[in-house]
């Protein structure tokens, strides 16, 4: 249905049918927040919501792009020989960023494309709509230009786009979670070595509910880079005392000793979040291996508490949602992604879903003044060519 409608939009614009269609998912991070750029463990999964593209080859070096999500921007056009980013920061910058990196790396891009895109991920909501678009473009370019990119190559190209072109110091988690997405499994990723393993995520009688604060979070505008820099500062200070490369090389048992170094109290809080969160990821996989979903839920709560009080990236909207979710019977809830708005996740008994959404929704609207949105998260596969 969705593809039919995208195909007819494509035909209206380009007077021909597309020759191929693609999908790349978004992601939720189950646990391991603000850990990827500190060289530790994260535990995200791809979801069945994501971004679609229908595409055809052009005879020249022009790209013509249209997004159903940004209809007012109309058709955006640029040439392969001229790829400067648009200062207004609109969505095609991600496409230009991926192309620029491929060219920089020596891949041959011999012709342009016509592309129509649509995403059913809310933008700027912490479900990685931008990484989804980056990985979608990697998949499209890989197919049309026969680049032979592996999922890891695609993840690294997506990350570089974010860091070098969009200007966000983000880590590798989102792009990896999407590139390596696998139905029914979460990905335990070591962000330092880039080794990973799939962990089947059996939710038993529970469902993973995504709760959107509907407060937009712009990564580049947010305090994301500030947290990144705080971690770099504390790392440099600790390197004088410990033989470490990343903050996640340290253990929770070392915190008491580190506190004697009299670091800035704010930096000490950031550090405590990073070290304890990294250990919560390992514990999570152990609980899940033992089918202990209740134990896993408690770790989600501890993660949110740490992100609220030590890392200070939540805010009234996320805290209200998470606390309302626990009051309404969730066995675990936490913000997911960068924070400062965006989405939270919660584990809720399937039979109690309707009353849960009603209760949390009403409390949120009464407290914050506008409504939250709720989605059922299904764990899905990575980027694919659909037809
Ligand atoms: C954003 C970034 C990721 C990661 C998370 C926080 O999603 O893109 O690299 O740092 O925030 O865990």
């Amino acid at each position: 249905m969705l593809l039919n409608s995208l195909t007819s939009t494509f035909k209206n614009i380009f007077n021909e049918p597309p020759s191929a269609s693609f999908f790349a998912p978004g992601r939720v991070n189950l646990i391991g927040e603000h850990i990827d750029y500190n060289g530790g463990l994260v535990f995200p999964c791809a979801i069945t919501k994501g971004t679609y593209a229908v595409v055809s080859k052009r005879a020249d070096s022009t790209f013509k792009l249209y997004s159903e999500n940004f209809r007012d921007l109309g058709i955006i056009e640029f040439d392969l020989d001229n790829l400067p980013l648009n200062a207004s920061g609109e969505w095609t910058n991600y496409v230009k960023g991926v192309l620029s990196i491929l060219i920089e790396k020596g891949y041959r891009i011999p012709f342009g494309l016509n592309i129509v895109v649509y995403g059913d991920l809310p933008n700027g909501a912490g479900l990685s709509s931008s990484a989804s678009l980056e990985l979608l473009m990697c998949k499209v370019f890989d197919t049309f230009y026969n680049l032979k990119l592996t999922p890891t190559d695609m993840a690294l190209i997506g990350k570089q786009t974010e860091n070098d072109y969009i200007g966000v110091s983000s880590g590798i988690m989102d792009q990896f979670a999407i590139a390596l997405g696998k139905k029914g499994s979460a990905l335990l990723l070591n962000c330092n070595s880039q080794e990973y393993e799939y962990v089947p995520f059996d939710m038993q009688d529970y469902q993973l509910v995504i709760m959107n604060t509907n407060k937009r979070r712009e990564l580049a505008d947010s305090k994301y880079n500030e947290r990144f820099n705080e971690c770099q500062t504390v790392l440099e200070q600790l390197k004088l005392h410990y033989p470490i490369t990343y903050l996640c090389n340290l253990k929770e048992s070392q915190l008491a000793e580190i506190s004697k170094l009299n670091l800035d109290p704010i930096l000490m809080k950031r550090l405590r979040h990073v070290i304890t969160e990294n250990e919560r990821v390992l514990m999570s996989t152990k609980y899940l291996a033992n089918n202990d979903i209740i134990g896993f839920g408690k770790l989600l709560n501890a993660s949110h508490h740490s992100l609220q009080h030590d890392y200070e990236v939540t805010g009234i909207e996320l805290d209200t949602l998470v606390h309302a979710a626990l009051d309404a019977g969730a066995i675990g809830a936490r913000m997911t992604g960068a924070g400062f708005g965006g989405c939270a996740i919660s584990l809720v008994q399937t039979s109690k879903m309707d009353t849960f959404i009603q209760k949390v929704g009403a409390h949120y609207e009464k407290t914050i003044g506008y409504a939250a949105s709720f989605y059922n998260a299904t764990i899905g596969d990575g980027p694919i060519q659909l037809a």
Side-chain angles (χ1 to χ4, degrees):
M1 184 55 220
L2 200 144
L3 273 187
N4 288 347
S5 130
L6 273 189
T7 299
S8 73
T9 305
F10 190 99
K11 282 186 194 153
N12 285 340
I13 298 176
F14 299 113
N15 298 317
E16 58 165 20
S19 62
S21 55
F22 302 85
F23 170 77
R27 67 98 188 87
V28 290
N29 185 19
L30 296 175
I31 194 161
E33 215 64 87
H34 288 276
I35 289 298
D36 56 357
Y37 54 87
N38 287 307
L41 297 168
V42 295
F43 195 41
C45 54
I47 55 177
T48 49
K49 278 182 180 297
T51 321
Y52 296 81
V54 289
V55 188
S56 76
K57 175 178 172 174
R58 291 181 59 88
D60 55 18
S61 58
T62 302
F63 277 73
K64 288 197 180 180
L65 305 163
Y66 178 80
S67 167
E68 287 278 18
N69 299 89
F70 300 102
R71 289 186 185 151
D72 49 331
L73 296 179
I75 300 165
I76 298 178
E77 188 174 329
F78 58 84
D79 196 90
L80 264 178
D81 301 326
N82 188 17
L83 292 172
L85 297 190
N86 190 318
S88 68
E90 44 78 3
W91 71 277
T92 62
N93 279 355
Y94 292 95
V95 183
K96 291 180 199 168
V98 171
L99 279 170
S100 306
I101 286 168
L102 288 171
I103 293 166
E104 247 168 64
K105 288 184 177 295
Y107 289 102
R108 232 173 63 78
I109 313 289
F111 51 82
L113 300 169
N114 293 328
I115 307 179
V116 172
V117 162
Y118 169 73
D120 61 3
L121 290 166
N123 289 314
L127 303 180
S128 288
S129 53
S130 53
S132 174
L133 178 59
E134 288 153 13
L135 271 290
L136 179 71
M137 287 303 123
C138 284
K139 185 72 188 169
V140 167
F141 302 151
D142 185 53
T143 308
F144 274 83
Y145 308 128
N146 194 21
L147 305 178
K148 302 199 166 33
L149 301 173
T150 63
T152 302
D153 294 336
M154 293 192 201
L156 293 172
I157 290 164
K159 175 181 186 286
Q160 208 180 330
T161 302
E162 206 70 57
N163 297 162
D164 298 355
Y165 283 83
I166 309 300
V168 183
S169 312
S170 54
I172 190 62
M173 174 175 74
D174 303 342
Q175 289 80 5
F176 245 92
I178 291 171
L180 288 146
K182 184 171 163 182
K183 196 174 168 184
S185 285
L187 186 79
L188 176 65
L189 171 68
N190 180 324
C191 299
N192 174 12
S193 65
Q194 289 169 13
E195 285 166 345
Y196 60 88
E197 72 183 79
Y198 290 107
V199 179
F201 185 39
D202 176 6
M203 289 181 248
Q204 303 163 28
D205 298 334
Y206 295 86
Q207 283 191 24
L208 188 63
V209 185
I210 300 176
M211 311 184 291
N212 188 352
T213 60
N214 285 323
K215 180 189 182 201
R216 263 187 77 88
R217 172 199 52 75
E218 295 291 350
L219 265 191
D221 295 343
S222 74
K223 290 183 172 258
Y224 186 91
N225 285 352
E226 186 183 300
R227 290 293 175 280
F228 177 88
N229 290 330
E230 286 169 345
C231 289
Q232 289 306 109
T233 307
V234 72
L235 175 64
E236 289 315 313
Q237 294 177 5
L238 288 172
K239 274 182 174 172
L240 303 174
H241 304 274
Y242 296 91
I244 54 170
T245 321
Y246 295 103
L247 291 183
C248 288
N249 297 137
L250 295 162
K251 298 260 173 297
E252 192 170 350
S253 53
Q254 292 173 284
L255 272 172
E257 182 188 279
I258 294 172
S259 67
K260 294 190 191 128
L261 296 173
N262 284 326
L263 300 179
D264 174 298
I266 301 267
L267 294 184
M268 194 63 205
K269 289 211 288 183
R270 307 298 185 245
L271 176 70
R272 187 165 59 207
H273 166 72
V274 170
I275 296 182
T276 58
E277 180 78 351
N278 193 41
E279 298 198 1
R280 279 187 287 272
V281 177
L282 253 195
M283 279 194 277
S284 295
T285 55
K286 288 188 183 142
Y287 280 131
L288 288 180
N290 291 329
N291 285 321
D292 183 355
I293 194 112
I294 303 280
F296 176 60
K298 287 189 179 140
L299 290 173
L300 298 185
N301 300 340
S303 169
H304 188 84
H305 188 270
S306 177
L307 288 155
Q308 179 179 352
H309 298 286
D310 279 347
Y311 217 63
E312 297 180 284
V313 291
T314 57
I316 174 97
E317 297 84 0
L318 281 166
D319 294 337
T320 302
L321 264 187
V322 163
H323 296 135
L326 296 177
D327 286 346
I331 57 161
R334 61 178 289 276
M335 56 154 271
T336 188
F340 316 105
C343 287
I345 51 170
S346 54
L347 275 174
V348 184
Q349 222 165 357
T350 307
S351 58
K352 297 192 177 143
M353 275 288 284
D354 293 345
T355 36
F356 172 84
I357 291 176
Q358 191 264 323
K359 274 190 186 161
V360 179
H363 179 79
Y364 184 81
E365 192 159 357
K366 194 167 133 234
T367 314
I368 302 296
Y370 52 84
S373 311
F374 298 86
Y375 327 100
N376 192 355
T378 315
I379 303 183
D381 285 322
I384 46 164
Q385 180 169 3
L386 298 168

